[in-house]
Amino acid sequence: MRFSFSWSTRHQQVIFKQRFNFSSNFNNLNRSLNAHIKPFSLPSSQRSFSKTSSFNNIDLQILKERLCEVVGPPNISTAESTRLQHGKDESHHRAQIPDIVVFPSNTQEVSEVAKVCTDMKVTMVPFGTGTGMEGGCVCTHGGVSVDLSRMAEIREYQQADFSVCVEPGVTRLALNEYLRGDGLWFPVDPGADASLCGMAATSASGTNAVRYGTMRENVRNLEVVLSDGTIIHTAGQGRHTVKSSAGYNLTNLFVGSEGTLGFITSATLKLYGIPDTMTSAVCQFDEVERAVTAVLHVLQCGVAVARIEFHGSEKQTEEDASVVGDIFADAGASGFQWASSLSERNRLWKARHDTLYAILATRPGPQITQLSTDVCVPISQLTKAITDTEKDLEDHKLPGYILGHVGDGNYHVTFLYDTGSETETQLVGKLSERIVERALELNGTCTGEHGTGFGKKKYLVREAGPDSVSLMKQIKHLLDPHGLMNPGKVLP
Ligand SMILES: Cc1cc2c(cc1C)N(C[C@H](O)[C@H](O)[C@H](O)COP(=O)(O)OP(=O)(O)OC[C@H]1O[C@@H](n3cnc4c(N)ncnc43)[C@H](O)[C@@H]1O)c1[nH]c(=O)[nH]c(=O)c1N2
Ligand SMILES: CCCCC(=O)C(=O)O
Ligand SMILES: [Mn+2]
């Protein structure tokens, strides 16, 4: 069996592709990018949806009129196409559509929407860009989907403080475009061009986490609208200090809360200088174990992580590239392709960010969907976790792609399966469960970055412990006593 991987010292990331029936090398991966499937073009298996509303026509009409008074007629929709788009994300979870979609324009409107919904005891589901991977936007009870994308202002840009405050309609690429001229950037980069507030809501990360951390380490303050319409600033209005020891850390309570505790209506983020020089490389290993071991050696060899990622001066970058190149070559890597130019690096990283669509393109079909696991284990356990997973896939002859944010101990297995086949669906369910079980046994987590959503809540007690989960439930009850905020997600 042969594996290929791409690796960048900048991002400390490895992609493994597993050879089964599907195309198996990086060139094929790039080629299949031509058949790129854009977000929102769902496999038809997900075009079917459940009607979940408990409304009668009269109540629905009253709700619509009251919300219309808040947001105005152009910013409310009951059209089926709009509702369909708001009842699902990019995951395998079945769409369940809202009764109404509203598009508030400012925080005050979000607050008024929340007051109406609380008054009428209607469920509310925040919607960012719908790129989530755990069913977070699915409207289990119908109700109101609150699409925050029309709030798209960059409110406070404090260049000297490396700080910016963005509304939910600002995506990571839009922010970086805005900052580029000043030599600054925001590095947290899930593959999709997600909204930054949605990224805060899911505690997202991406290829840069080894050096820059996840959303948890990069959010300084949040403006949040609670279910009863109260507006709070988790670190105090306007505050954006590098550190604070004042009170409980409410910011990190809302980071990762997946819309179950409130609406994030702005996020104050930490910014960084764009490094002078970056180098990326792609190479191949014959065995996945060797690739993982090589990455671990790079992390353990005494070169500081920041430098392993090849940030810095040209000279430093060259030295680090040579150390890492030697370690990889010793571990059996071949076919190195170095990329220092911006366009070549962008090409490589675009391919990496679009891997999910490349994988989808390898098995077209009306009922084919993907399920991507995202467990994370302590780095010392990564080789075991991946090699055991690989064996599972081999034993069951099931096509699965393994790719990983290896520097973080976080890896994905993406299964493509036919939702019309009971056998395939059950097998994928069983194997993804095994992957999580294994990660938990190794003291890992069921989700490193995609969130708990629907699919992982059954593991929460085992992972966090019954008393912690009980406390989470009490917090949820305190902030959302009627259970109206994104019901059915996160908590078992
Ligand atoms: C191709 C590709 C590649 C990747 C990923 C997706 C895709 C399609 N993702 C997953 C996804 O991009 C990530 O979870 C984003 O943070 C989701 O942001 P959205 O704005 O799309 O949230 P989306 O609209 O999907 O909502 C996600 C959840 O957050 C809630 N929410 C959204 N906005 C909110 C707000 N303003 N206030 C309160 N709650 C809100 C929603 O209710 C829902 O529960 C990912 N992720 C990752 O961490 N690492 C990765 O490497 C990748 N890679
Ligand atoms: C293909 C795995 C799911 C998306 C993702 O998280 C990534 O590309 O890193
Ligand atoms: Mn990922």
Side-chain angles (χ1 to χ4, degrees):
M1 190 182 298
R2 177 183 164 80
F3 294 89
S4 68
F5 82 102
S6 87
W7 159 81
S8 153
T9 49
R10 173 184 166 210
H11 296 87
Q12 191 56 48
Q13 171 149 19
V14 177
I15 301 173
F16 301 98
K17 289 193 81 262
Q18 191 146 7
R19 184 194 287 271
F20 283 99
N21 301 324
F22 299 154
S23 60
S24 66
N25 63 35
F26 196 73
N27 289 339
N28 280 348
L29 173 74
N30 275 335
R31 260 201 300 280
S32 53
L33 281 174
N34 296 333
H36 188 105
I37 302 166
K38 293 227 159 23
F40 294 129
S41 60
L42 276 181
S44 63
S45 58
Q46 290 175 46
R47 281 191 206 122
S48 66
F49 56 89
S50 331
K51 292 193 187 284
T52 39
S53 172
S54 53
F55 279 107
N56 64 45
N57 282 342
I58 298 168
D59 286 348
L60 188 58
Q61 195 50 37
I62 295 172
L63 176 65
K64 191 175 170 188
E65 279 164 19
R66 288 189 65 181
L67 291 173
C68 198
E69 272 171 32
V70 175
V71 294
N75 298 318
I76 186 162
S77 176
T78 47
E80 186 164 291
S81 55
T82 312
R83 289 159 55 218
L84 246 180
Q85 204 180 51
H86 287 80
K88 51 101 192 139
D89 57 11
E90 291 279 316
S91 71
H92 62 290
H93 294 292
R94 188 177 164 81
Q96 295 183 61
I97 67 172
D99 293 284
I100 297 180
V101 182
V102 290
F103 300 86
S105 306
N106 54 53
T107 304
Q108 200 51 48
E109 286 185 6
V110 178
S111 166
E112 295 302 323
V113 165
K115 283 180 192 163
V116 170
C117 289
T118 292
D119 188 38
M120 292 188 69
K121 303 290 175 294
V122 174
T123 56
M124 317 163 234
V125 180
F127 187 94
T129 49
T131 67
M133 299 294 285
E134 235 352 299
C137 295
V138 173
C139 297
T140 49
H141 293 61
V144 181
S145 171
V146 183
D147 183 326
L148 298 155
S149 61
R150 293 190 190 167
M151 292 177 65
E153 259 181 50
I154 293 179
R155 283 193 195 163
E156 290 155 37
Y157 172 34
Q158 315 272 359
Q159 190 182 346
D161 294 332
F162 289 75
S163 191
V164 70
C165 175
V166 294
E167 291 189 348
V170 180
T171 66
R172 67 174 184 86
L173 290 180
L175 177 63
N176 282 330
E177 189 57 37
Y178 177 85
L179 296 170
R180 201 159 45 139
D182 293 335
L184 295 180
W185 72 319
F186 182 70
V188 183
D189 64 333
D193 185 20
S195 73
L196 291 153
C197 291
M199 285 164 56
T202 59
S203 188
S205 48
T207 61
N208 286 318
V210 171
R211 166 146 169 104
Y212 296 99
T214 71
M215 288 305 280
R216 285 211 185 278
E217 291 82 40
N218 286 289
V219 178
R220 288 181 169 159
N221 201 348
L222 293 172
E223 181 184 77
V224 179
V225 174
L226 303 179
S227 64
D228 66 357
T230 306
I231 303 167
I232 62 159
H233 296 87
T234 54
Q237 190 155 12
R239 301 196 193 283
H240 55 271
T241 48
V242 171
K243 56 188 192 178
S244 163
S245 295
Y248 298 133
N249 190 337
L250 292 184
T251 305
N252 262 336
L253 174 62
F254 286 93
V255 172
S257 61
E258 300 179 47
T260 62
L261 300 181
F263 297 95
I264 297 172
T265 46
S266 80
T268 304
L269 306 172
K270 196 167 160 184
L271 302 176
Y272 298 82
I274 300 173
D276 289 347
T277 311
M278 299 181 213
T279 298
S280 302
V282 180
C283 66
Q284 285 82 45
F285 283 90
D286 286 341
E287 286 170 22
V288 71
E289 198 170 344
R290 280 170 174 263
V292 176
T293 307
V295 172
L296 297 188
H297 283 165
V298 170
L299 289 173
Q300 289 161 357
C301 77
V303 179
V305 169
R307 289 190 289 138
I308 285 179
E309 290 175 290
F310 283 30
H311 282 242
S313 67
E314 201 168 327
K315 184 162 179 303
Q316 191 183 49
T317 305
E318 265 170 34
E319 282 167 13
D320 287 342
S322 136
V323 171
V324 176
D326 285 351
I327 291 175
F328 271 47
D330 281 354
S334 60
F336 266 92
Q337 288 174 46
W338 294 95
S340 295
S341 77
L342 181 64
S343 62
E344 187 55 12
R345 275 191 291 114
N346 284 348
R347 191 186 71 80
L348 289 179
W349 288 105
K350 170 107 180 86
R352 169 58 190 93
H353 281 140
D354 286 347
T355 308
L356 180 62
Y357 301 111
I359 293 172
L360 277 166
T362 62
R363 193 181 179 190
Q367 301 202 86
I368 305 299
T369 192
Q370 64 86 24
L371 182 152
S372 296
T373 64
D374 75 314
V375 296
C376 184
V377 295
I379 305 269
S380 57
Q381 304 299 323
L382 188 62
T383 310
K384 177 169 174 42
I386 291 187
T387 45
D388 287 357
T389 300
E390 218 189 319
K391 190 166 175 322
D392 269 353
L393 297 179
E394 259 175 57
D395 288 350
H396 290 87
K397 300 279 170 282
L398 189 75
Y401 290 81
I402 305 180
L403 59 149
H405 306 286
V406 173
D408 309 328
N410 179 202
Y411 70 98
H412 304 296
V413 180
T414 297
F415 297 105
L416 289 182
Y417 66 103
D418 185 342
T419 52
S421 155
E422 191 62 21
T423 319
E424 281 192 29
T425 308
Q426 273 188 12
L427 189 54
V428 166
K430 184 175 137 193
L431 285 180
S432 54
E433 193 136 348
R434 257 178 88 86
I435 289 166
V436 174
E437 296 285 337
R438 179 175 297 120
L440 293 176
E441 272 160 29
L442 297 172
N443 278 335
T445 172
C446 61
T447 171
E449 54 177 23
H450 291 164
T452 315
F454 273 134
K456 317 306 185 357
K457 57 185 192 175
K458 63 183 171 203
Y459 306 114
L460 205 59
V461 171
R462 177 147 170 226
E463 180 168 331
D467 292 340
S468 294
V469 173
S470 161
L471 182 58
M472 290 182 205
K473 287 183 176 170
Q474 290 173 53
I475 292 170
K476 164 80 175 166
H477 185 70
L478 184 71
L479 295 180
D480 179 23
H482 305 292
L484 301 175
M485 288 297 314
N486 206 359
K489 318 291 167 57
V490 180
L491 293 173

